[in-house]
Amino acid sequence: MTRPLTALLKKGVPFKWAELQQQAFSQVKWAMVQAPVLALPDFSQEFIVETDACDKGIGAVLLQNGHPIAYLSKALGVKAQALFTYEKECLAILMAVNKWRAYLQNNEFVIQTNHKSLTHLGEQKLTTSMQHKAFIKLMGLQYKIRYKQGAENRVADALSRRDADEELSAISVGRPKWLESVVDWYDQDEEAKQLLAQLIINLVGVEHFTLTNGVIRF
């Protein structure tokens, strides 16, 4: 989608703005204004909870088949920032399980963390208050804790490190498959492509037509 634009940035390539570059630019603008669509939960499928913690925040993402269902991010207070890394990672798990218990309580689910020692949480001797809290919160739930390297735990890691003053919003939307077919057809019809490009640049610039969530409406 962005290849015609990135090609203009190469050394020795003259800057030439033609119809191909304009179409690519319009597609980028359209993609940037679409709401982030999350998958709807399927209770017949396995849920996966990925968690992470950093110095000042904790984050988690609820997944199914590699697709996000929901996100969670929280800044740590001064007292919580003084906790050991193990305790912060444990706190991230507690926060996620407490938030998504309604999804997790019916079947076995997987907790993925980048802190290896937490994979033995159920076998360890309870010596800290945080371990006691974790044991109580997870009691009655069917779960497995798996280790996932930090380099692969990108989503939860990003959520744990975002600025405390920022806000995170996500929208879960159901969309019929026939509507997806309509949107895919736009690329095969020249009139539809031109209309889409005009509406992206100016949402009220074409009489009788509007653009809503990437769908042209009359």
PDB file of all heavy atoms in Angstrom, residues 130-167:
ATOM      1  N   MET A 130       2.471 -11.164  47.945  1.00  0.00           N
ATOM      2  CA  MET A 130       2.056 -11.173  46.551  1.00  0.00           C
ATOM      3  C   MET A 130       1.747 -12.587  46.079  1.00  0.00           C
ATOM      4  O   MET A 130       0.784 -12.814  45.322  1.00  0.00           O
ATOM      5  CB  MET A 130       3.157 -10.557  45.675  1.00  0.00           C
ATOM      6  CG  MET A 130       2.754 -10.356  44.218  1.00  0.00           C
ATOM      7  SD  MET A 130       1.319  -9.266  44.027  1.00  0.00           S
ATOM      8  CE  MET A 130       2.023  -7.704  44.543  1.00  0.00           C
ATOM      9  N   GLN A 131       2.525 -13.572  46.513  1.00  0.00           N
ATOM     10  CA  GLN A 131       2.258 -14.958  46.154  1.00  0.00           C
ATOM     11  C   GLN A 131       0.939 -15.435  46.751  1.00  0.00           C
ATOM     12  O   GLN A 131       0.180 -16.163  46.108  1.00  0.00           O
ATOM     13  CB  GLN A 131       3.409 -15.847  46.627  1.00  0.00           C
ATOM     14  CG  GLN A 131       4.683 -15.692  45.806  1.00  0.00           C
ATOM     15  CD  GLN A 131       5.821 -16.509  46.374  1.00  0.00           C
ATOM     16  OE1 GLN A 131       6.023 -16.573  47.584  1.00  0.00           O
ATOM     17  NE2 GLN A 131       6.585 -17.142  45.495  1.00  0.00           N
ATOM     18  N   HIS A 132       0.663 -15.011  47.977  1.00  0.00           N
ATOM     19  CA  HIS A 132      -0.605 -15.367  48.620  1.00  0.00           C
ATOM     20  C   HIS A 132      -1.785 -14.772  47.851  1.00  0.00           C
ATOM     21  O   HIS A 132      -2.805 -15.443  47.642  1.00  0.00           O
ATOM     22  CB  HIS A 132      -0.623 -14.870  50.072  1.00  0.00           C
ATOM     23  CG  HIS A 132       0.130 -15.746  51.010  1.00  0.00           C
ATOM     24  ND1 HIS A 132      -0.404 -16.897  51.539  1.00  0.00           N
ATOM     25  CD2 HIS A 132       1.392 -15.652  51.515  1.00  0.00           C
ATOM     26  CE1 HIS A 132       0.482 -17.481  52.330  1.00  0.00           C
ATOM     27  NE2 HIS A 132       1.587 -16.741  52.340  1.00  0.00           N
ATOM     28  N   LYS A 133      -1.662 -13.505  47.433  1.00  0.00           N
ATOM     29  CA  LYS A 133      -2.723 -12.850  46.659  1.00  0.00           C
ATOM     30  C   LYS A 133      -2.957 -13.586  45.348  1.00  0.00           C
ATOM     31  O   LYS A 133      -4.104 -13.808  44.932  1.00  0.00           O
ATOM     32  CB  LYS A 133      -2.348 -11.391  46.383  1.00  0.00           C
ATOM     33  CG  LYS A 133      -2.437 -10.478  47.587  1.00  0.00           C
ATOM     34  CD  LYS A 133      -2.034  -9.059  47.200  1.00  0.00           C
ATOM     35  CE  LYS A 133      -2.059  -8.124  48.407  1.00  0.00           C
ATOM     36  NZ  LYS A 133      -1.615  -6.753  48.038  1.00  0.00           N
ATOM     37  N   ALA A 134      -1.856 -13.958  44.669  1.00  0.00           N
ATOM     38  CA  ALA A 134      -1.970 -14.659  43.393  1.00  0.00           C
ATOM     39  C   ALA A 134      -2.660 -16.005  43.570  1.00  0.00           C
ATOM     40  O   ALA A 134      -3.524 -16.394  42.771  1.00  0.00           O
ATOM     41  CB  ALA A 134      -0.585 -14.851  42.781  1.00  0.00           C
ATOM     42  N   PHE A 135      -2.279 -16.726  44.619  1.00  0.00           N
ATOM     43  CA  PHE A 135      -2.868 -18.037  44.877  1.00  0.00           C
ATOM     44  C   PHE A 135      -4.378 -17.928  45.095  1.00  0.00           C
ATOM     45  O   PHE A 135      -5.169 -18.718  44.567  1.00  0.00           O
ATOM     46  CB  PHE A 135      -2.201 -18.671  46.100  1.00  0.00           C
ATOM     47  CG  PHE A 135      -2.736 -20.033  46.447  1.00  0.00           C
ATOM     48  CD1 PHE A 135      -2.351 -21.149  45.708  1.00  0.00           C
ATOM     49  CD2 PHE A 135      -3.630 -20.201  47.492  1.00  0.00           C
ATOM     50  CE1 PHE A 135      -2.855 -22.403  46.012  1.00  0.00           C
ATOM     51  CE2 PHE A 135      -4.130 -21.460  47.806  1.00  0.00           C
ATOM     52  CZ  PHE A 135      -3.743 -22.560  47.063  1.00  0.00           C
ATOM     53  N   ILE A 136      -4.796 -16.902  45.852  1.00  0.00           N
ATOM     54  CA  ILE A 136      -6.223 -16.719  46.152  1.00  0.00           C
ATOM     55  C   ILE A 136      -6.992 -16.316  44.892  1.00  0.00           C
ATOM     56  O   ILE A 136      -8.079 -16.822  44.615  1.00  0.00           O
ATOM     57  CB  ILE A 136      -6.405 -15.664  47.262  1.00  0.00           C
ATOM     58  CG1 ILE A 136      -5.846 -16.198  48.587  1.00  0.00           C
ATOM     59  CG2 ILE A 136      -7.877 -15.302  47.432  1.00  0.00           C
ATOM     60  CD1 ILE A 136      -5.768 -15.167  49.692  1.00  0.00           C
ATOM     61  N   LYS A 137      -6.422 -15.398  44.106  1.00  0.00           N
ATOM     62  CA  LYS A 137      -7.101 -14.919  42.895  1.00  0.00           C
ATOM     63  C   LYS A 137      -7.258 -16.028  41.854  1.00  0.00           C
ATOM     64  O   LYS A 137      -8.253 -16.079  41.128  1.00  0.00           O
ATOM     65  CB  LYS A 137      -6.303 -13.759  42.279  1.00  0.00           C
ATOM     66  CG  LYS A 137      -6.418 -12.443  43.027  1.00  0.00           C
ATOM     67  CD  LYS A 137      -7.755 -11.781  42.788  1.00  0.00           C
ATOM     68  CE  LYS A 137      -7.799 -10.394  43.432  1.00  0.00           C
ATOM     69  NZ  LYS A 137      -9.137  -9.768  43.253  1.00  0.00           N
ATOM     70  N   LEU A 138      -6.263 -16.901  41.768  1.00  0.00           N
ATOM     71  CA  LEU A 138      -6.287 -17.953  40.753  1.00  0.00           C
ATOM     72  C   LEU A 138      -6.988 -19.219  41.232  1.00  0.00           C
ATOM     73  O   LEU A 138      -7.196 -20.146  40.446  1.00  0.00           O
ATOM     74  CB  LEU A 138      -4.850 -18.296  40.333  1.00  0.00           C
ATOM     75  CG  LEU A 138      -4.083 -17.172  39.616  1.00  0.00           C
ATOM     76  CD1 LEU A 138      -2.621 -17.552  39.443  1.00  0.00           C
ATOM     77  CD2 LEU A 138      -4.710 -16.862  38.255  1.00  0.00           C
ATOM     78  N   MET A 139      -7.340 -19.250  42.495  1.00  0.00           N
ATOM     79  CA  MET A 139      -7.994 -20.424  43.054  1.00  0.00           C
ATOM     80  C   MET A 139      -9.328 -20.682  42.348  1.00  0.00           C
ATOM     81  O   MET A 139     -10.128 -19.769  42.143  1.00  0.00           O
ATOM     82  CB  MET A 139      -8.228 -20.223  44.555  1.00  0.00           C
ATOM     83  CG  MET A 139      -8.748 -21.477  45.277  1.00  0.00           C
ATOM     84  SD  MET A 139      -9.037 -21.131  47.040  1.00  0.00           S
ATOM     85  CE  MET A 139      -7.360 -20.856  47.604  1.00  0.00           C
ATOM     86  N   GLY A 140      -9.542 -21.925  41.955  1.00  0.00           N
ATOM     87  CA  GLY A 140     -10.787 -22.295  41.294  1.00  0.00           C
ATOM     88  C   GLY A 140     -10.744 -22.150  39.780  1.00  0.00           C
ATOM     89  O   GLY A 140     -11.677 -22.582  39.090  1.00  0.00           O
ATOM     90  N   LEU A 141      -9.688 -21.544  39.239  1.00  0.00           N
ATOM     91  CA  LEU A 141      -9.551 -21.377  37.800  1.00  0.00           C
ATOM     92  C   LEU A 141      -8.633 -22.459  37.227  1.00  0.00           C
ATOM     93  O   LEU A 141      -7.700 -22.921  37.886  1.00  0.00           O
ATOM     94  CB  LEU A 141      -8.980 -19.996  37.467  1.00  0.00           C
ATOM     95  CG  LEU A 141      -9.830 -18.789  37.883  1.00  0.00           C
ATOM     96  CD1 LEU A 141      -9.072 -17.497  37.604  1.00  0.00           C
ATOM     97  CD2 LEU A 141     -11.168 -18.778  37.152  1.00  0.00           C
ATOM     98  N   GLN A 142      -8.902 -22.846  35.980  1.00  0.00           N
ATOM     99  CA  GLN A 142      -8.062 -23.820  35.291  1.00  0.00           C
ATOM    100  C   GLN A 142      -7.130 -23.052  34.350  1.00  0.00           C
ATOM    101  O   GLN A 142      -7.594 -22.399  33.419  1.00  0.00           O
ATOM    102  CB  GLN A 142      -8.918 -24.792  34.481  1.00  0.00           C
ATOM    103  CG  GLN A 142      -9.990 -25.509  35.293  1.00  0.00           C
ATOM    104  CD  GLN A 142     -10.902 -26.322  34.401  1.00  0.00           C
ATOM    105  OE1 GLN A 142     -10.470 -27.230  33.703  1.00  0.00           O
ATOM    106  NE2 GLN A 142     -12.189 -25.979  34.404  1.00  0.00           N
ATOM    107  N   TYR A 143      -5.844 -23.136  34.583  1.00  0.00           N
ATOM    108  CA  TYR A 143      -4.902 -22.338  33.795  1.00  0.00           C
ATOM    109  C   TYR A 143      -3.545 -23.015  33.689  1.00  0.00           C
ATOM    110  O   TYR A 143      -3.202 -23.902  34.481  1.00  0.00           O
ATOM    111  CB  TYR A 143      -4.726 -20.955  34.429  1.00  0.00           C
ATOM    112  CG  TYR A 143      -4.130 -20.998  35.819  1.00  0.00           C
ATOM    113  CD1 TYR A 143      -2.745 -20.898  36.008  1.00  0.00           C
ATOM    114  CD2 TYR A 143      -4.941 -21.155  36.952  1.00  0.00           C
ATOM    115  CE1 TYR A 143      -2.204 -20.956  37.282  1.00  0.00           C
ATOM    116  CE2 TYR A 143      -4.397 -21.211  38.218  1.00  0.00           C
ATOM    117  CZ  TYR A 143      -3.035 -21.116  38.383  1.00  0.00           C
ATOM    118  OH  TYR A 143      -2.489 -21.178  39.629  1.00  0.00           O
ATOM    119  N   LYS A 144      -2.794 -22.577  32.679  1.00  0.00           N
ATOM    120  CA  LYS A 144      -1.393 -22.960  32.511  1.00  0.00           C
ATOM    121  C   LYS A 144      -0.596 -21.675  32.382  1.00  0.00           C
ATOM    122  O   LYS A 144      -1.047 -20.728  31.714  1.00  0.00           O
ATOM    123  CB  LYS A 144      -1.184 -23.800  31.247  1.00  0.00           C
ATOM    124  CG  LYS A 144      -1.943 -25.108  31.206  1.00  0.00           C
ATOM    125  CD  LYS A 144      -1.695 -25.758  29.855  1.00  0.00           C
ATOM    126  CE  LYS A 144      -2.579 -26.984  29.660  1.00  0.00           C
ATOM    127  NZ  LYS A 144      -2.470 -27.511  28.279  1.00  0.00           N
ATOM    128  N   ILE A 145       0.578 -21.629  32.991  1.00  0.00           N
ATOM    129  CA  ILE A 145       1.444 -20.465  32.849  1.00  0.00           C
ATOM    130  C   ILE A 145       2.628 -20.849  31.968  1.00  0.00           C
ATOM    131  O   ILE A 145       3.341 -21.811  32.264  1.00  0.00           O
ATOM    132  CB  ILE A 145       1.952 -19.959  34.220  1.00  0.00           C
ATOM    133  CG1 ILE A 145       0.769 -19.594  35.118  1.00  0.00           C
ATOM    134  CG2 ILE A 145       2.844 -18.735  34.035  1.00  0.00           C
ATOM    135  CD1 ILE A 145       1.165 -19.077  36.492  1.00  0.00           C
ATOM    136  N   ARG A 146       2.808 -20.122  30.882  1.00  0.00           N
ATOM    137  CA  ARG A 146       3.887 -20.402  29.935  1.00  0.00           C
ATOM    138  C   ARG A 146       4.835 -19.211  29.842  1.00  0.00           C
ATOM    139  O   ARG A 146       4.417 -18.054  29.962  1.00  0.00           O
ATOM    140  CB  ARG A 146       3.324 -20.708  28.545  1.00  0.00           C
ATOM    141  CG  ARG A 146       2.515 -21.988  28.460  1.00  0.00           C
ATOM    142  CD  ARG A 146       1.947 -22.163  27.070  1.00  0.00           C
ATOM    143  NE  ARG A 146       1.052 -23.308  26.973  1.00  0.00           N
ATOM    144  CZ  ARG A 146       0.197 -23.497  25.981  1.00  0.00           C
ATOM    145  NH1 ARG A 146       0.132 -22.593  24.989  1.00  0.00           N
ATOM    146  NH2 ARG A 146      -0.579 -24.567  25.942  1.00  0.00           N
ATOM    147  N   TYR A 147       6.073 -19.522  29.596  1.00  0.00           N
ATOM    148  CA  TYR A 147       7.090 -18.480  29.416  1.00  0.00           C
ATOM    149  C   TYR A 147       7.120 -18.031  27.961  1.00  0.00           C
ATOM    150  O   TYR A 147       7.111 -18.848  27.042  1.00  0.00           O
ATOM    151  CB  TYR A 147       8.463 -19.007  29.824  1.00  0.00           C
ATOM    152  CG  TYR A 147       9.612 -18.082  29.480  1.00  0.00           C
ATOM    153  CD1 TYR A 147       9.761 -16.854  30.119  1.00  0.00           C
ATOM    154  CD2 TYR A 147      10.543 -18.436  28.507  1.00  0.00           C
ATOM    155  CE1 TYR A 147      10.802 -16.003  29.806  1.00  0.00           C
ATOM    156  CE2 TYR A 147      11.592 -17.596  28.184  1.00  0.00           C
ATOM    157  CZ  TYR A 147      11.727 -16.383  28.835  1.00  0.00           C
ATOM    158  OH  TYR A 147      12.765 -15.539  28.515  1.00  0.00           O
ATOM    159  N   LYS A 148       7.144 -16.719  27.753  1.00  0.00           N
ATOM    160  CA  LYS A 148       7.269 -16.150  26.409  1.00  0.00           C
ATOM    161  C   LYS A 148       8.325 -15.071  26.458  1.00  0.00           C
ATOM    162  O   LYS A 148       8.227 -14.130  27.254  1.00  0.00           O
ATOM    163  CB  LYS A 148       5.932 -15.559  25.942  1.00  0.00           C
ATOM    164  CG  LYS A 148       5.954 -15.079  24.488  1.00  0.00           C
ATOM    165  CD  LYS A 148       4.573 -14.655  24.021  1.00  0.00           C
ATOM    166  CE  LYS A 148       4.592 -14.277  22.543  1.00  0.00           C
ATOM    167  NZ  LYS A 148       3.265 -13.869  22.058  1.00  0.00           N
ATOM    168  N   GLN A 149       9.340 -15.178  25.646  1.00  0.00           N
ATOM    169  CA  GLN A 149      10.449 -14.234  25.667  1.00  0.00           C
ATOM    170  C   GLN A 149       9.970 -12.803  25.457  1.00  0.00           C
ATOM    171  O   GLN A 149       9.027 -12.553  24.707  1.00  0.00           O
ATOM    172  CB  GLN A 149      11.479 -14.588  24.597  1.00  0.00           C
ATOM    173  CG  GLN A 149      12.255 -15.858  24.888  1.00  0.00           C
ATOM    174  CD  GLN A 149      13.343 -16.101  23.864  1.00  0.00           C
ATOM    175  OE1 GLN A 149      13.357 -15.498  22.799  1.00  0.00           O
ATOM    176  NE2 GLN A 149      14.258 -16.999  24.186  1.00  0.00           N
ATOM    177  N   GLY A 150      10.652 -11.882  26.131  1.00  0.00           N
ATOM    178  CA  GLY A 150      10.242 -10.475  26.069  1.00  0.00           C
ATOM    179  C   GLY A 150      10.190  -9.920  24.661  1.00  0.00           C
ATOM    180  O   GLY A 150       9.335  -9.105  24.322  1.00  0.00           O
ATOM    181  N   ALA A 151      11.125 -10.378  23.794  1.00  0.00           N
ATOM    182  CA  ALA A 151      11.155  -9.878  22.412  1.00  0.00           C
ATOM    183  C   ALA A 151       9.901 -10.270  21.647  1.00  0.00           C
ATOM    184  O   ALA A 151       9.502  -9.598  20.692  1.00  0.00           O
ATOM    185  CB  ALA A 151      12.392 -10.421  21.699  1.00  0.00           C
ATOM    186  N   GLU A 152       9.242 -11.372  22.053  1.00  0.00           N
ATOM    187  CA  GLU A 152       8.035 -11.830  21.369  1.00  0.00           C
ATOM    188  C   GLU A 152       6.766 -11.306  22.038  1.00  0.00           C
ATOM    189  O   GLU A 152       5.690 -11.370  21.478  1.00  0.00           O
ATOM    190  CB  GLU A 152       8.010 -13.362  21.364  1.00  0.00           C
ATOM    191  CG  GLU A 152       9.197 -13.992  20.638  1.00  0.00           C
ATOM    192  CD  GLU A 152       9.199 -15.501  20.766  1.00  0.00           C
ATOM    193  OE1 GLU A 152       8.275 -16.042  21.406  1.00  0.00           O
ATOM    194  OE2 GLU A 152      10.127 -16.137  20.221  1.00  0.00           O
ATOM    195  N   ASN A 153       6.913 -10.800  23.250  1.00  0.00           N
ATOM    196  CA  ASN A 153       5.758 -10.323  24.028  1.00  0.00           C
ATOM    197  C   ASN A 153       5.540  -8.832  23.769  1.00  0.00           C
ATOM    198  O   ASN A 153       5.516  -8.023  24.683  1.00  0.00           O
ATOM    199  CB  ASN A 153       6.009 -10.592  25.516  1.00  0.00           C
ATOM    200  CG  ASN A 153       4.731 -10.557  26.331  1.00  0.00           C
ATOM    201  OD1 ASN A 153       3.639 -10.568  25.781  1.00  0.00           O
ATOM    202  ND2 ASN A 153       4.874 -10.499  27.633  1.00  0.00           N
ATOM    203  N   ARG A 154       5.370  -8.462  22.510  1.00  0.00           N
ATOM    204  CA  ARG A 154       5.421  -7.056  22.115  1.00  0.00           C
ATOM    205  C   ARG A 154       4.211  -6.244  22.546  1.00  0.00           C
ATOM    206  O   ARG A 154       4.338  -5.103  22.969  1.00  0.00           O
ATOM    207  CB  ARG A 154       5.577  -6.966  20.582  1.00  0.00           C
ATOM    208  CG  ARG A 154       6.876  -7.579  20.079  1.00  0.00           C
ATOM    209  CD  ARG A 154       6.919  -7.595  18.573  1.00  0.00           C
ATOM    210  NE  ARG A 154       8.121  -8.239  18.073  1.00  0.00           N
ATOM    211  CZ  ARG A 154       8.350  -8.500  16.794  1.00  0.00           C
ATOM    212  NH1 ARG A 154       7.457  -8.167  15.889  1.00  0.00           N
ATOM    213  NH2 ARG A 154       9.468  -9.093  16.421  1.00  0.00           N
ATOM    214  N   VAL A 155       3.015  -6.818  22.413  1.00  0.00           N
ATOM    215  CA  VAL A 155       1.803  -6.040  22.691  1.00  0.00           C
ATOM    216  C   VAL A 155       1.703  -5.679  24.162  1.00  0.00           C
ATOM    217  O   VAL A 155       1.538  -4.517  24.535  1.00  0.00           O
ATOM    218  CB  VAL A 155       0.545  -6.819  22.243  1.00  0.00           C
ATOM    219  CG1 VAL A 155      -0.716  -6.023  22.581  1.00  0.00           C
ATOM    220  CG2 VAL A 155       0.602  -7.096  20.750  1.00  0.00           C
ATOM    221  N   ALA A 156       1.807  -6.697  25.024  1.00  0.00           N
ATOM    222  CA  ALA A 156       1.738  -6.433  26.462  1.00  0.00           C
ATOM    223  C   ALA A 156       2.878  -5.541  26.918  1.00  0.00           C
ATOM    224  O   ALA A 156       2.716  -4.686  27.792  1.00  0.00           O
ATOM    225  CB  ALA A 156       1.758  -7.758  27.231  1.00  0.00           C
ATOM    226  N   ASP A 157       4.057  -5.717  26.304  1.00  0.00           N
ATOM    227  CA  ASP A 157       5.205  -4.887  26.661  1.00  0.00           C
ATOM    228  C   ASP A 157       4.937  -3.422  26.333  1.00  0.00           C
ATOM    229  O   ASP A 157       5.233  -2.521  27.119  1.00  0.00           O
ATOM    230  CB  ASP A 157       6.441  -5.377  25.896  1.00  0.00           C
ATOM    231  CG  ASP A 157       7.672  -4.546  26.207  1.00  0.00           C
ATOM    232  OD1 ASP A 157       8.179  -4.641  27.332  1.00  0.00           O
ATOM    233  OD2 ASP A 157       8.106  -3.783  25.321  1.00  0.00           O
ATOM    234  N   ALA A 158       4.351  -3.168  25.157  1.00  0.00           N
ATOM    235  CA  ALA A 158       4.041  -1.784  24.763  1.00  0.00           C
ATOM    236  C   ALA A 158       3.000  -1.171  25.693  1.00  0.00           C
ATOM    237  O   ALA A 158       3.081   0.001  26.053  1.00  0.00           O
ATOM    238  CB  ALA A 158       3.543  -1.764  23.315  1.00  0.00           C
ATOM    239  N   LEU A 159       2.009  -1.973  26.098  1.00  0.00           N
ATOM    240  CA  LEU A 159       0.968  -1.465  26.989  1.00  0.00           C
ATOM    241  C   LEU A 159       1.520  -1.127  28.367  1.00  0.00           C
ATOM    242  O   LEU A 159       1.075  -0.182  29.009  1.00  0.00           O
ATOM    243  CB  LEU A 159      -0.148  -2.507  27.128  1.00  0.00           C
ATOM    244  CG  LEU A 159      -1.021  -2.719  25.889  1.00  0.00           C
ATOM    245  CD1 LEU A 159      -1.886  -3.952  26.060  1.00  0.00           C
ATOM    246  CD2 LEU A 159      -1.877  -1.508  25.602  1.00  0.00           C
ATOM    247  N   SER A 160       2.500  -1.903  28.832  1.00  0.00           N
ATOM    248  CA  SER A 160       3.060  -1.644  30.159  1.00  0.00           C
ATOM    249  C   SER A 160       3.944  -0.408  30.171  1.00  0.00           C
ATOM    250  O   SER A 160       4.164   0.199  31.218  1.00  0.00           O
ATOM    251  CB  SER A 160       3.862  -2.860  30.640  1.00  0.00           C
ATOM    252  OG  SER A 160       5.039  -3.030  29.871  1.00  0.00           O
ATOM    253  N   ARG A 161       4.465  -0.018  28.993  1.00  0.00           N
ATOM    254  CA  ARG A 161       5.408   1.086  28.936  1.00  0.00           C
ATOM    255  C   ARG A 161       4.807   2.398  28.467  1.00  0.00           C
ATOM    256  O   ARG A 161       5.492   3.407  28.383  1.00  0.00           O
ATOM    257  CB  ARG A 161       6.578   0.730  28.000  1.00  0.00           C
ATOM    258  CG  ARG A 161       7.388  -0.428  28.521  1.00  0.00           C
ATOM    259  CD  ARG A 161       8.468  -0.857  27.543  1.00  0.00           C
ATOM    260  NE  ARG A 161       9.088  -2.092  27.990  1.00  0.00           N
ATOM    261  CZ  ARG A 161      10.064  -2.172  28.872  1.00  0.00           C
ATOM    262  NH1 ARG A 161      10.540  -1.076  29.414  1.00  0.00           N
ATOM    263  NH2 ARG A 161      10.565  -3.334  29.224  1.00  0.00           N
ATOM    264  N   ARG A 162       3.521   2.421  28.124  1.00  0.00           N
ATOM    265  CA  ARG A 162       2.927   3.666  27.642  1.00  0.00           C
ATOM    266  C   ARG A 162       2.866   4.688  28.760  1.00  0.00           C
ATOM    267  O   ARG A 162       2.818   4.358  29.939  1.00  0.00           O
ATOM    268  CB  ARG A 162       1.519   3.411  27.076  1.00  0.00           C
ATOM    269  CG  ARG A 162       0.461   3.143  28.114  1.00  0.00           C
ATOM    270  CD  ARG A 162      -0.870   2.835  27.452  1.00  0.00           C
ATOM    271  NE  ARG A 162      -1.914   2.718  28.460  1.00  0.00           N
ATOM    272  CZ  ARG A 162      -2.649   3.719  28.895  1.00  0.00           C
ATOM    273  NH1 ARG A 162      -2.433   4.925  28.412  1.00  0.00           N
ATOM    274  NH2 ARG A 162      -3.574   3.524  29.815  1.00  0.00           N
ATOM    275  N   ASP A 163       2.838   5.949  28.394  1.00  0.00           N
ATOM    276  CA  ASP A 163       2.828   7.043  29.369  1.00  0.00           C
ATOM    277  C   ASP A 163       1.566   6.997  30.211  1.00  0.00           C
ATOM    278  O   ASP A 163       0.473   6.757  29.722  1.00  0.00           O
ATOM    279  CB  ASP A 163       2.903   8.387  28.629  1.00  0.00           C
ATOM    280  CG  ASP A 163       3.226   9.531  29.570  1.00  0.00           C
ATOM    281  OD1 ASP A 163       2.385   9.844  30.416  1.00  0.00           O
ATOM    282  OD2 ASP A 163       4.324  10.098  29.439  1.00  0.00           O
ATOM    283  N   ALA A 164       1.699   7.245  31.500  1.00  0.00           N
ATOM    284  CA  ALA A 164       0.557   7.174  32.416  1.00  0.00           C
ATOM    285  C   ALA A 164      -0.499   8.226  32.118  1.00  0.00           C
ATOM    286  O   ALA A 164      -1.656   8.087  32.486  1.00  0.00           O
ATOM    287  CB  ALA A 164       1.043   7.336  33.858  1.00  0.00           C
ATOM    288  N   ASP A 165      -0.108   9.325  31.429  1.00  0.00           N
ATOM    289  CA  ASP A 165      -1.047  10.402  31.150  1.00  0.00           C
ATOM    290  C   ASP A 165      -1.848  10.154  29.879  1.00  0.00           C
ATOM    291  O   ASP A 165      -2.761  10.894  29.554  1.00  0.00           O
ATOM    292  CB  ASP A 165      -0.298  11.734  31.011  1.00  0.00           C
ATOM    293  CG  ASP A 165       0.352  12.146  32.320  1.00  0.00           C
ATOM    294  OD1 ASP A 165      -0.214  11.810  33.377  1.00  0.00           O
ATOM    295  OD2 ASP A 165       1.418  12.787  32.280  1.00  0.00           O
ATOM    296  N   GLU A 166      -1.476   9.098  29.116  1.00  0.00           N
ATOM    297  CA  GLU A 166      -2.175   8.820  27.884  1.00  0.00           C
ATOM    298  C   GLU A 166      -3.413   7.985  28.166  1.00  0.00           C
ATOM    299  O   GLU A 166      -3.583   7.422  29.238  1.00  0.00           O
ATOM    300  CB  GLU A 166      -1.254   8.061  26.916  1.00  0.00           C
ATOM    301  CG  GLU A 166      -0.073   8.891  26.431  1.00  0.00           C
ATOM    302  CD  GLU A 166       0.816   8.067  25.526  1.00  0.00           C
ATOM    303  OE1 GLU A 166       0.575   6.853  25.409  1.00  0.00           O
ATOM    304  OE2 GLU A 166       1.753   8.633  24.956  1.00  0.00           O
ATOM    305  N   GLU A 167      -4.287   7.895  27.187  1.00  0.00           N
ATOM    306  CA  GLU A 167      -5.465   7.062  27.298  1.00  0.00           C
ATOM    307  C   GLU A 167      -5.436   6.043  26.170  1.00  0.00           C
ATOM    308  O   GLU A 167      -4.901   6.294  25.102  1.00  0.00           O
ATOM    309  CB  GLU A 167      -6.747   7.896  27.199  1.00  0.00           C
ATOM    310  CG  GLU A 167      -6.963   8.818  28.386  1.00  0.00           C
ATOM    311  CD  GLU A 167      -8.280   9.539  28.304  1.00  0.00           C
ATOM    312  OE1 GLU A 167      -9.005   9.329  27.309  1.00  0.00           O
ATOM    313  OE2 GLU A 167      -8.595  10.321  29.206  1.00  0.00           O
TER     314      GLU A 167
END
